[in-house]
């Protein structure tokens, strides 16, 4: 087992993980953050996208041990006041523009969009589609 210490949604978290355990399973199974979904398990769909030190990553392609010492933001931590109905602007935009279908991959899409706009605040339509 490997001990990892990371900051998840602003809170210091520590866990013992198997060296080959994926970050998505640490988040879901050990930390109880079910908003990070497992979709394809092949890094194709993006349902498991989280922000790792501010950059979007597919957490099914990152070992939990690789996240040691880093900051992870999941959909649960994107809007700290969501319990009071205050969404992150990207979540609000998805809501207002019906930017979802079944909703399963929506958390990953929201986090990928947040990362895209951090990197490029004024993307073209092609850049958005690629991102």
């Amino acid at each position: 087992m490997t001990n990892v210490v990371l900051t998840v949604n602003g809170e210091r978290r520590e866990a013992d993980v198997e060296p080959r355990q994926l970050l998505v399973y640490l988040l879901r199974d050990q930390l109880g953050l079910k908003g990070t979904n497992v979709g394809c398990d092949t890094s194709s769909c993006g349902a498991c996208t989280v922000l790792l030190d501010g950059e979007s990553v597919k957490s099914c392609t990152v070992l939990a041990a690789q996240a040691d010492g880093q900051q992870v933001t999941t959909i649960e931590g994107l809007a700290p006041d969501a319990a009071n109905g205050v969404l992150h602007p990207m979540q609000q935009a998805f809501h207002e523009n019906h930017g979802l279908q079944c909703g399963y991959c929506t958390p990953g899409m929201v986090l990928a969009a947040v990362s895209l706009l951090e990197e490029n605040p004024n993307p073209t339509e092609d850049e958005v589609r690629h991102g």
Side-chain angles (χ1 to χ4, degrees):
M1 298 294 273
T2 301
N3 184 264
V4 294
V5 178
L6 53 158
T7 303
V8 180
N9 299 331
E11 184 180 330
R12 183 184 183 275
R13 303 297 296 262
E14 187 172 344
D16 290 324
V17 299
E18 299 236 356
R20 64 183 182 179
Q21 183 177 354
L22 296 172
L23 178 59
V24 67
Y25 294 112
L26 168 63
L27 295 171
R28 288 184 58 80
D29 300 340
Q30 288 177 258
L31 302 183
L33 298 168
K34 303 296 186 183
T36 303
N37 294 314
V38 179
C40 64
D41 253 345
T42 63
S43 80
S44 296
C45 74
C48 67
T49 300
V50 298
L51 301 180
L52 186 62
D53 283 345
E55 290 190 35
S56 66
V57 299
K58 294 175 184 172
S59 60
C60 75
T61 64
V62 177
L63 296 173
Q66 289 176 292
D68 187 36
Q70 298 189 53
Q71 293 187 32
V72 177
T73 303
T74 69
I75 196 70
E76 293 93 343
L78 191 58
D81 204 21
N84 294 322
V86 180
L87 299 175
H88 182 277
M90 186 61 71
Q91 291 170 308
Q92 188 67 39
F94 267 69
H95 172 74
E96 289 174 5
N97 294 286
H98 308 288
L100 53 101
Q101 290 178 23
C102 75
Y104 192 79
C105 64
T106 303
M109 289 192 301
V110 168
L111 289 162
V114 167
S115 178
L116 171 69
L117 291 180
E118 284 292 319
E119 295 169 21
N120 182 356
N122 297 300
T124 66
E125 183 175 337
D126 284 342
E127 290 169 327
V128 169
R129 290 183 185 280
H130 180 74

